[in-house]
Amino acid sequence: MDLFSYRNRILHCEDVALPALAEAYGTPLFVYSQNTLLHHLRQIQTAFAPVQPLVCYSLKTNPNVNLCRLMYEHGAGFDVTSAGELYRALKAGGTGHRIVFAGVGKTDAELRYGLENDIVFFNVESEGELFALGDVAKSAGKTARVALRVNPDLPPKTHAKTDTSVKGVKFGLDIDTVLEFAQRAVDHEHVRVVGLHMHLGSPILSVEPYRQGLEKGLNLIEKLRQQGHHIEYLNMGGGFGINYKKQEALPATAFAEVIVPGVQKARCKLVLEPGRFIVGNAGVLVSRVIYTKDSGGKHFVIQDAAMNDLIRPTLYDSFHRIWPVAPAPGLPAPPEDYEADMPGTRLSDVVGPVCESGDYLAKHRALPPVERGDLLATFSAGAYGMAMSSNYNSRLRAAEVLVDGAKHRLIRRRETFEDLVRPEMEI
Ligand code: LLP
């Protein structure tokens, strides 16, 4: 479900018409629906309620501190992958007892920062990390809690750049050798292995990888316990897919049906790290058409959002629905089911102003005719949109607005030219 809908042919976010927001805040503009975001968080909380999970919002997905605060206030914790993300989690009101820390390359300073804040555990991905953590914990006079992140070596399940549980990627401990490694950690004075972690990849549109991952995980937990580790947590990571195109994603209940019995069998507390599922369809990117042109037998719609605002289409060949915010009377209604060649549309490349041929939001896309000045909405842009944005071509990063019913608030202002050069030294 999302709360973006056309009313009298004008796209609204909840009760706010998007043209009014574009007028007030300019474009490109990320617009988030608070009630969509909370609805998705609640769906996960409800589906997994029988095992009372710790739902740690994966902050990398959209780190705006206002969104994080909202999630924390509604019961979520945080999955962080850097000191910067931990800083944001704390700034959003988060406290260590709802924070887990992942990532293959945590520095000593990051490990110390996590320890100082008494986080639930570190997802540890290598032997080197475990012993570095032990040293840092010793010097801090603490004992670090750890979940071993294992790579369960499953068949490919999503885009190669975001598949984290196939053999040969940098993530996790090798499932074939993890037990030998765990044996060496049994008597560590400053590290306690309390959990098992796996994040399978993102986005995942089937329950099968979770079923396969769990099977391997349960077996490992048994063996870790035999070694003498007190395993209290099973962290199944994130990865739940969303509807980018049509109704391709599964509801949270489908994942729960597979994961909940496994967790009960393992007698563990469940941790989840969802990101995209919560915030992906809670956001759209609103842009304005600057020019249209025909060249080389193609029709180009040049608008003011670019690869620096939403890099997913060019980086992962991702599909994002795009439709005019206010289609003129007589133009086709936004399709339920997105197929090429709809009557009244024309195949277009939707591109931005950045100096790269890879700068596009969509290629060969059926779009109603649009003109200079028209607004476009790129859907499902709440996850990994702003989070992966940059200043490439010295473009100012977009503003972000949060809508709640008929209210809207700016939660990140548009950058200024001064912001661009502020960290640079005058020499
Ligand atoms: N936990 C860990 C350890 C992760 O690495 C990730 C995502 C998540 C949780 C959250 O996954 P989610 O629930 O959002 O699927 N930039 C790519 C996605 C990269 C995902 C990185 N890790 C994209 O735009 O599709």
Side-chain angles (χ1 to χ4, degrees):
M1 179 216 81
D2 68 55
L3 295 169
F4 293 91
S5 61
Y6 283 85
R7 298 187 192 164
N8 297 324
R9 304 193 73 85
I10 294 179
L11 184 58
H12 283 63
C13 173
E14 304 200 11
D15 297 326
V16 178
L18 293 191
L21 294 180
E23 203 53 52
Y25 302 112
T27 55
L29 181 70
F30 284 96
V31 179
Y32 305 119
S33 155
Q34 173 163 327
N35 291 297
T36 304
L37 184 145
L38 293 179
H39 174 76
H40 290 147
L41 172 61
R42 232 172 358 253
Q43 280 186 323
I44 295 184
Q45 289 167 330
T46 308
F48 289 90
V51 289
Q52 295 183 297
L54 173 59
V55 178
C56 289
Y57 169 63
S58 190
L59 201 143
K60 66 173 77 68
T61 317
N62 188 326
N64 187 295
V65 78
N66 296 283
L67 301 187
C68 292
R69 187 172 302 119
L70 205 57
M71 290 200 232
Y72 193 77
E73 286 168 0
H74 288 81
F78 298 106
D79 151 45
V80 301
T81 22
S82 68
E85 287 191 353
L86 178 52
Y87 175 80
R88 282 181 180 274
L90 297 170
K91 197 140 178 86
T95 47
H97 73 287
R98 278 202 239 156
I99 296 176
V100 296
F101 200 150
V104 289
K106 302 177 201 79
T107 63
D108 285 9
E110 289 179 312
L111 296 171
R112 198 168 304 114
Y113 193 19
L115 278 171
E116 278 164 11
N117 284 287
D118 282 324
I119 62 165
V120 185
F121 52 70
F122 295 86
N123 292 317
V124 162
E125 308 213 14
S126 66
E127 182 153 10
E129 181 186 351
L130 187 111
F131 290 104
L133 179 58
D135 291 346
V136 173
K138 184 174 180 188
S139 69
K142 297 205 172 211
T143 300
R145 286 177 298 272
V146 156
L148 299 180
R149 177 173 181 176
V150 69
N151 174 349
D153 182 15
L154 302 178
K157 60 207 79 59
T158 187
H159 193 282
K161 285 189 178 141
T162 57
D163 198 333
T164 49
S165 59
V166 282
K167 218 180 183 66
V169 297
K170 68 176 176 177
F171 294 103
L173 295 153
D174 191 320
I175 188 143
D176 298 331
T177 51
V178 61
L179 286 170
E180 293 157 38
F181 159 58
Q183 186 62 47
R184 293 196 284 281
V186 172
D187 294 321
H188 198 297
E189 257 184 81
H190 292 275
V191 172
R192 238 171 356 108
V193 177
V194 296
L196 187 75
H197 174 229
M198 54 180 84
H199 168 71
L200 303 177
S202 168
I204 297 180
L205 296 172
S206 138
V207 297
E208 218 31 54
Y210 291 92
R211 196 191 305 282
Q212 295 163 356
L214 259 172
E215 201 178 304
K216 295 191 178 192
L218 296 189
N219 186 25
L220 271 181
I221 287 175
E222 201 53 48
K223 300 214 165 102
L224 288 168
R225 284 182 174 147
Q226 284 163 10
Q227 288 180 331
H229 295 292
H230 295 286
I231 305 296
E232 303 162 46
Y233 296 95
L234 176 55
N235 180 352
M236 288 304 291
F240 304 160
I242 61 168
N243 296 323
Y244 278 108
K245 214 167 197 173
K246 26 189 174 180
Q247 300 300 314
E248 69 265 40
L250 293 173
T253 46
F255 295 105
E257 270 170 32
V258 171
I259 295 174
V260 165
V263 173
Q264 285 166 332
K265 205 162 153 203
R267 291 168 285 113
C268 279
K269 184 162 175 58
L270 176 66
V271 177
L272 293 169
E273 303 172 340
R276 190 189 315 263
F277 187 92
I278 295 173
V279 81
N281 275 325
V284 300
L285 173 59
V286 180
S287 60
R288 200 177 282 282
V289 176
I290 312 173
Y291 306 113
T292 60
K293 79 170 182 184
D294 295 288
S295 176
K298 294 185 88 172
H299 182 64
F300 292 95
V301 174
I302 304 163
Q303 40 79 70
D304 61 7
M307 65 190 285
N308 75 299
D309 300 298
L310 183 65
I311 202 170
R312 303 192 70 257
T314 192
L315 192 57
Y316 313 117
D317 302 314
S318 308
F319 182 101
H320 286 258
R321 285 182 294 131
I322 301 181
W323 207 252
V325 165
L331 292 181
E336 280 291 307
D337 233 13
Y338 235 94
E339 300 295 346
D341 263 342
M342 283 170 288
T345 64
R346 138 175 227 196
L347 285 183
S348 311
D349 279 17
V350 181
V351 303
V354 162
C355 298
E356 295 215 17
S357 306
D359 177 27
Y360 57 85
L361 299 185
K363 286 195 145 188
H364 315 298
R365 184 62 67 77
L367 260 195
V370 289
E371 295 176 0
R372 176 174 169 80
D374 286 352
L375 293 170
L376 290 179
T378 300
F379 292 85
S380 312
Y384 307 109
M386 191 62 182
M388 296 177 80
S389 66
S390 77
N391 290 120
Y392 187 41
N393 277 207
S394 287
R395 285 170 50 82
L396 307 177
R397 258 177 297 192
E400 297 180 291
V401 172
L402 181 62
V403 172
D404 177 16
K407 288 197 310 250
H408 51 89
R409 280 166 302 172
L410 188 64
I411 57 168
R412 181 181 162 115
R413 65 165 172 79
R414 187 173 304 287
E415 287 179 348
T416 62
F417 294 141
E418 297 78 58
D419 291 331
L420 279 182
V421 293
R422 184 163 294 131
E424 292 167 25
M425 317 298 289
E426 296 266 356
I427 54 167

